[in-house]
Structure formats: C-alpha cells, structure tokens
C-alpha cells in the first residue's frame, strides 16, 4: 500500500464554530487597513489640521508682501522691520509686559492669602465664601469690566460718592494700574483654585511636626504652608501672565480711551478698525504674539519640572488640622469681605441695576428711574436678539462636538497602541498657547486662502470651528483624568470576547466616561458662551455673538443696553452653572455607568457569536 507523504496530505477543512463559541471577528477594512488604524490616523490628522489651520496662514502672511488671497506676492521680511519702526511696536511690547506683570502681582496678592485663610485656618463661613470666590469664573472679563466702569468709572456710582464726600478720587481705571487691577479681579479665581486645591489635597504631617517643636500658627504658615505653594503659585502666575498678554476686553474698553495700546488692542486696531489693513504688518505682529505665548507655555513646563520636591500627598492619609490664628482671622475676614463686596458684588449689582434704570447715580434714587427700555432695545432690534441666540447655539453645538471629538482624542492617545499617541496628546493641548484673537485672525486668512472657504467665513459654523479649537485642551483636560482611572481589565475582557479597539471603546469605555463627558460639556458650554475674541474677525452681519454686540453698543455709548445684554448673559450662565451643579452633584450616575461595563462585554460576546 502506498503511503501518502505528509506534504501531500489534504488540509483539514475549516471548522464552523459551534453555538456559544466565538468566531474570528470580521470588520470592514479601509484601504487595506483595519478600522482601528483608520480611526487613529483620521483622529490624528483632523486634530493636526484644526490646530495648524489658524497658525500656518499667520506665519505665511507675516513674510509676504501681498495678502494671502491676492495673486502674486513675494517673500519679504520688511513686515517685521516696519513693525518696530513705523508702528512703534517696541512701546506696545513694554506696555503689554507692564500690564501682564501688574495683573499677575495683583491677582496673586489677593488669591494666595485667601486660599491659605480658607483652607488652612479656622475661618468663619469658609465653605460659603469659597463658593462665592468662584463666581467670577462664570462671568466674562468683558462683563466684569463693564460693571467696574459703571461703579468705579469717572462717572460711576461709587466714584461720584467718594468725590462728593472727599473732593477727590484715589483711583483711575483708565490707567495702567487701573486696567491691571480690573483684569486681576477677573483672574483671582484661577489663582485661588490652584492654591486652594493644592492645600486641600496635601496632608498636614509637616505642620503637625512643627507643632511638636513649639512652632506657632503664624510660624507654620510662613515656614511650611507658603513654601509648599510654590508650584501652584508659579503655575497660576504664568497662566495669568499669559492670559493678560492675550486679553482683549480690558485693553479695549479701558486702554483705548486712555491711548494705552497693548498687543491685543493693536491687532484689533490694525485688523478691524483700520480702513485699509496692512495684512503683512498684522501677520508679523500676530506671529510675535504667538511666539511669546508659546514661549510662556514652554517656560511654564520647564519651571515646573522639579515640582516633585514640593509633593506632600503620600499614600498614608492624615487628618487635616486647621490652624487657629486668633484675632488675625478677623483681619483676614475683613480682607476677604472687602474683595468680595467691592471687587465682585458691587460691580455686578451696579451693572444689573443699570440694566433696569435709565440712569444710575447716587444723586437720584434708582427706584424713580426704573425702566425696561434697555431690554426693549435689545429685543426690538433683530441683530441684537440674534446675537443672544447665536451665542447659545454656538456654545451648545460647539460643546457637544468638542466633547465627543475630545473623548475620541483621549481614547486614542491614552487607550490605544497608536504610534503617535504622545504627539497627538501634545497637539490636542497646543491651542492652549494660541490666543483667541490669533485664532480668529488665522481662521480668517485660512478661510480666505482655502478654496471654498468663503462659504464658511462669516457663518456660525466658522465660529463653532474657531471656538471649538480653543476648547479642545479643556475637553482633553476634563476627560483624560477619568480615562486614566479606568483599569485595563475591561479592555482585555472585551478583546478576549472578540471585540476590536473601536467596539471596546464605543461599547464599554465611553459608557464609563459619561460623567466626565457631561462635566466637559458643561465646562466648554460655559467657556463658549463667554467667548468672543475669535468672532471679532470671523463673525458676519448675521453671526454676531453677545461679546461683539456688547462692544458695538459700548462704542455707540449705549451703556444701558450693554448692561441689559450683560445681565442676560449672566442670567443664562447662572442658569447653566446651577444645572451643572445639580447634575454633577449626583454621584450615582458614575455608579450606574460602571454597572454597564459587564453587560457591555456580554453584549459584545453575543454579537460576535452571531457574527
């Protein structure tokens, strides 16, 4: 009998999986690659395109002697030389640095002592006051600036009272220190939150050790608590400095009347107010502003590289012991109370009161001047009403889109084997270094440069894109920590059940990230409803937002209408902030999302079985 060689033996026929067994998953392939690879690359390329879209046109325009949309043009560096010779940009740089430095000093001088008092000492009503100190976060600096002018301006309510009583006024908002102080009041909550969160997360073992050797409360605060705050103070200081460099509201409403020009107001004058804009000069100035803000972000990372020396949160938990500073707490209470009363509450109350009166002056009772004319003007003129609707629409659509896209970015960067995951993470956080006005200028040129871009420019879709790019780092920062808390066991279980990366992400991880996504949505919505700087260049006649309309009304001298519009913005923001508090207070949503993890794996198993 002939023996068949093993090489000639027939191959075993493929076995059909029995009921209950998992077959090999079959997924559609794009260009020969699995959908996992396709999604990773698509996410990376789209993120890079959105981030680079406003930057590349600015860099190109800065070295061209013709507008980007014009035919011809040649390479030149004359725009930079003209910037420092004809435009006197050197003086503008000095003004901007002085304004940013004063803003940072004022903000830290107010925020750091308040954080120490409320988090490390026995302070009256500390929890309530801590919540009140967060209020300016939900208020646009533009709105806060209007409130300060209403009460502390040359014809303001408090200015008139002080002038009538003492014959002179010790403050002047239309000066460099006045501008910086108003901007600092808007930035105080940022520095306070950084310092307060650091103090709340740290333990008190070092302070307890100091007590055992006889150190008093003031010595402990001076020798232990304050030095431990160096990293958050440094981080907050650099963040405030960078924000002050790029801010537009205060330099526009307080600096222009006093002929004090800063980076942002210079770009506004050259781009919006100019009859014949010099686009080369504008591109060169925008490039320098962009380089300066990027440099601040890099400096921030370098200085915080050795922050590990100040770590005080260890594995061993300790019980917080508040310091009793005796009678000094009442001095601190007075300090905090004066800031809240005169820095936040009075300007906001005056602004709201001005919205319901024809004139706000201490010489006449406001009750005799009550009127709804300011609101009637807003609601009777269609463009003003549309600006409110546009702001809400852009904020809602933008927050939803950025949250979903940000979630995908986080999952690709943190929960995949994508080779450029770290570069994707850096790209998603890059817009943090790009000022809002630069984003507006860059997308203005990008839409003019790219074929078909004219169909987008001047529409709400353009604002959604620009505002969304600015908000990508916020979405990443809100969702990434929650993703890092999810164990890899869920991913592994889904892979064993036959799911690929996308099915694992869509059926398990995203369900677990719902609370973080909700927090991201509310955070971005609150940010976008206040945003207006990119709209200064991108908004058309039918796509104005609350901020641009308020500035337009202010230039026309319609103080009452500006107050009415600002009051409506405060009301909408307060409503959403209250809703956010109620939703985020319900911790059961996180538990419900976690419960869906195991059923999701079972669903995947069933789908693979019947595939």
């Amino acid at each position: 009998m002939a023996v068949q060689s093993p090489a000639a033996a027939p191959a075993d026929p493929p076995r059909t999986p029995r009921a209950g067994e998992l077959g090999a998953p079959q997924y559609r392939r794009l260009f020969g690659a699995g959908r996992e690879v396709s999604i990773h690359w698509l996410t990376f390329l789209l993120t890079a395109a959105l981030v680079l879209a406003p930057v590349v046109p600015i860099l190109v325009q800065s070295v061209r002697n013709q507008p980007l949309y014009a035919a011809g043009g040649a390479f030149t560096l004359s725009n930079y030389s003209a910037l420092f010779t004809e435009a006197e940009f050197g003086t503008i740089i000095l003004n901007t640095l002085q304004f940013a430095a004063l803003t940072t000093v004022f903000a830290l001088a107010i925020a750091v002592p308040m954080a120490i008092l409320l988090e490390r000492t026995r302070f009256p009503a500390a929890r309530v006051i801590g919540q009140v100190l967060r209020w300016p976060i939900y208020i646009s600096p533009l709105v806060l600036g209007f409130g300060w002018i209403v009460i502390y301006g040359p014809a303001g309510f408090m200015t008139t009272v002080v002038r009538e009583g003492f014959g002179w006024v010790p403050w002047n908002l239309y000066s460099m220190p006045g501008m910086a102080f108003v901007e600092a009041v808007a930035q105080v909550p940022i520095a306070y939150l950084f310092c307060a969160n650091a103090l709340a997360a740290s333990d008190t073992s070092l302070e307890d050790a100091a007590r055992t050797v006889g150190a008093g409360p003031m010595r402990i605060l001076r020798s232990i608590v304050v030095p431990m705050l160096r990293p958050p103070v440094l981080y907050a200081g650099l963040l405030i400095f960078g924000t002050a460099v790029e801010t537009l509201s205060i330099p526009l409403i307080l600096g222009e009347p006093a002929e004090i020009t800063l980076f942002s107001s210079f770009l506004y004058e050259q781009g919006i107010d100019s009859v014949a804009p010099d686009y080369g000069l504008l591109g060169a100035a925008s490039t320098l502003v962009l380089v300066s803000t990027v440099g601040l972000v890099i400096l921030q990372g370098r200085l915080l590289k050795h922050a590990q020396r100040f770590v005080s949160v260890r594995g061993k938990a300790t019980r917080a012991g508040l310091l009793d500073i005796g009678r000094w707490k009442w001095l601190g209470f007075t300090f905090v109370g004066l800031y809240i009363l005169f820095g936040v509450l009075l300007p906001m109350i005056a602004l709201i009161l001005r919205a319901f009166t024809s004139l706000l002056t201490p010489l006449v009772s406001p009750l005799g001047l009550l009127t709804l004319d300011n609101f009637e003007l807003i609601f009777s003129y269609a463009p003003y009403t549309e600006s409110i609707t546009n702001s809400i629409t852009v904020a809602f659509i933008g927050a939803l889109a950025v949250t979903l896209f940000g979630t995908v970015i986080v999952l690709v960067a943190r929960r995949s084997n994508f080779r450029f995951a770290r570069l994707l993470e850096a790209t998603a956080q890059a817009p943090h270094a790009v000022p809002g006005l630069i984003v507006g200028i860059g997308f203005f040129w990008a839409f003019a440069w790219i074929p078909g871009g004219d169909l987008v420019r001047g529409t709400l879709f353009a604002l959604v894109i620009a505002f969304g790019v600015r908000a990508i780092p916020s979405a990443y920062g809100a969702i990434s920590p929650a993703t890092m808390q999810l164990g890899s066991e869920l991913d592994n279980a889904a892979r064993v059940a036959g799911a690929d990366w996308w099915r694992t992400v869509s059926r398990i991880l995203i369900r677990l990230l719902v609370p973080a996504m909700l927090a991201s949505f509310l955070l971005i919505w609150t940010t976008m409803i206040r945003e207006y700087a990119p709209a200064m260049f991108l908004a058309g006649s039918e796509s104005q937002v609350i901020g641009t309309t308020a500035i337009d009304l202010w230039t026309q001298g319609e103080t009452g209408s500006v107050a009415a519009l600002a009051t409506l913005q405060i009301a909408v923001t307060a409503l959403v902030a209250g809703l956010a508090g109620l939703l985020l207070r319900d911790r059961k949503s996180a538990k419900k999302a976690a419960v869906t993890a195991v059923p999701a794996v079972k669903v995947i198993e069933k789908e693979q079985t019947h595939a």
Side-chain angles (χ1 to χ4, degrees):
M1 177 181 292
V3 179
Q4 189 176 13
S5 64
D12 293 335
R15 185 175 62 89
T16 303
R18 298 177 183 176
E21 292 185 350
L22 299 180
Q26 300 294 328
Y27 300 111
R28 294 182 180 179
R29 303 177 70 85
L30 183 63
F31 300 111
R35 65 175 182 178
E36 174 179 336
V37 176
S38 302
I39 294 173
H40 293 173
W41 277 103
L42 181 62
T43 302
F44 176 74
L45 294 176
L46 182 57
T47 304
L50 289 173
V51 173
L52 294 177
V55 175
V56 173
I58 289 176
L59 299 179
V60 174
Q61 182 64 81
S62 67
V63 293
R64 279 177 56 91
N65 59 359
Q66 293 290 336
L68 286 177
Y69 55 81
F75 174 83
T76 180
L77 294 178
S78 60
N79 298 321
Y80 290 94
S81 60
L83 192 63
F84 289 94
T85 55
E86 302 174 10
E88 299 181 353
F89 201 67
T91 303
I92 296 173
I93 293 177
L94 294 178
N95 289 342
T96 304
L97 294 177
Q98 183 182 359
F99 171 75
L102 287 175
T103 299
T104 305
V105 171
F106 289 153
L108 293 178
I110 297 172
V112 176
M114 290 195 303
I116 295 174
L117 288 170
L118 294 177
E119 293 292 337
R120 271 293 182 262
T121 68
R122 296 180 181 176
F123 198 81
R127 181 173 298 180
V128 176
I129 294 176
Q131 294 296 325
V132 174
L133 291 175
R134 291 169 167 82
W135 287 357
I137 292 179
Y138 306 107
I139 302 172
S140 169
L142 181 66
V143 173
L144 188 63
F146 288 146
W148 269 71
I149 293 175
V150 169
I151 196 167
Y152 298 117
F157 189 93
M158 190 60 66
T159 302
T160 305
V161 172
V162 173
R163 185 184 295 115
E164 292 291 331
F166 299 96
W168 66 288
V169 179
W171 61 78
N172 178 18
L173 295 187
Y174 296 94
S175 65
M176 188 66 74
M179 294 167 53
F181 194 83
V182 176
E183 180 67 24
V185 171
Q187 302 301 326
V188 161
I190 297 176
Y192 169 79
L193 287 177
F194 275 110
C195 297
N197 291 338
L199 290 173
S202 63
D203 60 51
T204 59
S205 57
L206 296 177
E207 300 169 26
D208 295 337
R211 288 192 186 95
T212 61
V213 296
M218 302 304 295
R219 177 65 182 275
I220 294 174
L221 291 176
R222 183 175 65 255
S223 302
I224 298 178
V225 176
V226 173
M228 295 297 294
L229 283 176
R230 289 180 189 175
V233 168
L234 179 61
Y235 190 93
L238 290 174
L239 181 61
I240 293 172
F241 190 93
T243 303
V245 167
E246 68 177 58
T247 188
L248 175 64
S249 55
I250 302 303
L252 196 60
I253 64 177
L254 294 179
E256 276 203 343
E259 297 183 354
I260 300 176
T261 305
L262 305 184
F263 275 165
S264 55
S265 54
F266 175 82
L267 297 178
Y268 175 83
E269 293 172 0
Q270 292 294 323
I272 301 296
D273 277 0
S274 177
V275 178
D278 188 338
Y279 289 110
L281 190 68
L282 186 61
S286 301
T287 300
L288 292 181
V289 175
L290 180 62
V291 169
S292 64
T293 53
V294 171
L296 286 173
V297 173
I298 295 175
L299 176 63
Q300 182 180 12
R302 292 290 180 87
L303 293 178
L304 293 176
K305 183 183 298 183
H306 304 291
Q308 187 69 22
R309 295 182 301 151
F310 301 92
V311 171
S312 63
V313 182
R314 302 297 181 184
K316 183 179 179 180
T318 58
R319 187 176 182 179
L322 300 179
L323 301 173
D324 188 357
I325 57 177
R327 291 178 294 180
W328 287 100
K329 69 180 179 182
W330 298 112
L331 180 61
F333 186 81
T334 302
F335 168 72
V336 176
L338 289 176
Y339 163 77
I340 293 176
L341 178 62
F342 292 99
V344 180
L345 293 182
L346 280 183
M348 290 299 97
I349 293 174
L351 184 67
I352 296 173
L353 192 60
R354 179 65 183 89
F356 290 94
T357 58
S358 58
L359 181 66
L360 185 62
T361 172
L363 304 178
V364 181
S365 173
L367 297 178
L369 301 174
L370 293 178
T371 181
L372 294 177
D373 291 345
N374 298 321
F375 291 94
E376 290 179 0
L377 176 62
I378 298 297
F379 290 107
S380 62
Y381 189 51
Y384 297 160
T385 306
E386 289 175 357
S387 67
I388 302 174
T389 306
N390 291 341
S391 291
I392 296 175
T393 302
V394 170
F396 179 82
I397 297 176
L400 181 61
V402 173
T403 297
L404 295 177
F405 185 58
T407 302
V408 176
I409 293 176
V410 171
L411 292 172
V412 173
R414 292 285 183 178
R415 302 302 284 261
S416 76
N417 57 357
F418 184 49
R419 67 176 65 181
F420 297 115
R422 187 168 298 180
L423 180 59
L424 174 62
E425 181 179 5
T427 304
Q429 296 176 342
H432 175 70
V434 184
L437 205 61
I438 301 299
V439 171
I441 296 173
F443 272 114
F444 175 82
W445 283 331
F447 293 142
W449 192 15
I450 299 174
D454 290 337
L455 300 176
V456 179
R457 186 175 55 183
T459 65
L460 293 181
F461 185 63
L463 300 186
V464 170
I465 295 175
F467 290 8
V469 169
R470 290 265 291 168
I472 288 177
S474 298
Y476 193 94
I479 300 172
S480 180
T483 305
M484 296 172 64
Q485 292 176 354
L486 301 179
S488 59
E489 295 84 359
L490 298 174
D491 307 56
N492 296 335
R495 292 301 180 94
V496 170
D500 67 345
W501 178 86
W502 176 246
R503 180 152 295 185
T504 302
V505 163
S506 60
R507 295 303 180 92
I508 298 178
L509 298 184
I510 289 182
R511 295 188 183 189
L512 296 172
L513 291 175
V514 167
M517 294 171 65
L518 177 61
S520 171
F521 175 85
L522 295 172
L523 171 65
I524 296 173
W525 193 96
T526 305
T527 302
M528 284 190 172
I529 198 70
R530 306 184 310 159
E531 185 69 270
Y532 71 94
M536 300 296 292
F537 281 86
L538 293 176
S541 58
E542 297 181 355
S543 57
Q544 298 292 319
V545 293
I546 293 177
T548 56
T549 301
I551 292 177
D552 182 52
L553 288 170
W554 185 263
T555 57
Q556 299 175 21
E558 297 288 347
T559 308
S561 300
V562 171
L565 194 61
T567 300
L568 293 172
Q569 183 180 11
I570 293 174
V572 173
T573 306
L575 178 63
V576 175
L579 179 62
L582 293 176
L583 293 177
L584 296 179
R585 193 178 301 166
D586 185 10
R587 300 301 180 93
K588 295 182 180 180
S589 59
K591 297 181 180 179
K592 293 178 180 178
V595 173
T596 63
V598 175
V601 175
K602 294 182 178 179
V603 169
I604 291 175
E605 292 178 353
K606 292 180 180 180
E607 290 178 350
Q608 296 301 330
T609 301
H610 297 288

